[in-house]
Amino acid sequence: IGTPTGGTPEILEDEMTGLSFPPGDGQTLAGQVTRLAADPQLRERLAANARRVVVERFNLERMVDEIEDELKAIVER
């Protein structure tokens, strides 16, 4: 459960990999916590989807490759 600000949207896709709430909206946050606590199938689905996204997007080899590509582009400029 998080807000769609900063780097959070890289992994938190509402209803797919997590649940979101507007910044500063404690009532919606409380509702999302209650919803997640009451629904084990939702928790399992969100967790499985989030794990898949992390494995696909944030593995070490891919991240190192992207950093290397960016550094090469800087040097070439």
Side-chain angles (χ1 to χ4, degrees):
I1 301 172
T3 61
T5 58
T8 304
E10 287 184 56
I11 190 166
L12 194 157
E13 183 180 340
D14 194 38
E15 300 293 331
M16 190 59 134
T17 61
L19 301 175
S20 66
F21 66 97
D25 186 346
Q27 186 171 0
T28 300
L29 170 59
Q32 295 292 47
V33 169
T34 300
R35 182 175 168 211
L36 206 54
D39 190 340
Q41 290 178 331
L42 176 63
R43 288 193 309 269
E44 289 175 17
R45 180 176 60 82
L46 295 176
N49 288 341
R51 177 169 172 60
R52 181 183 45 76
V53 168
V54 168
V55 167
E56 289 174 1
R57 293 187 194 165
F58 299 101
N59 69 65
L60 183 59
E61 184 176 338
R62 181 175 167 264
M63 292 177 74
V64 169
D65 288 345
E66 287 181 10
I67 291 169
E68 286 178 344
D69 290 345
E70 189 63 31
L71 292 173
K72 286 176 189 175
I74 291 169
V75 169
E76 289 173 0
R77 283 185 243 155

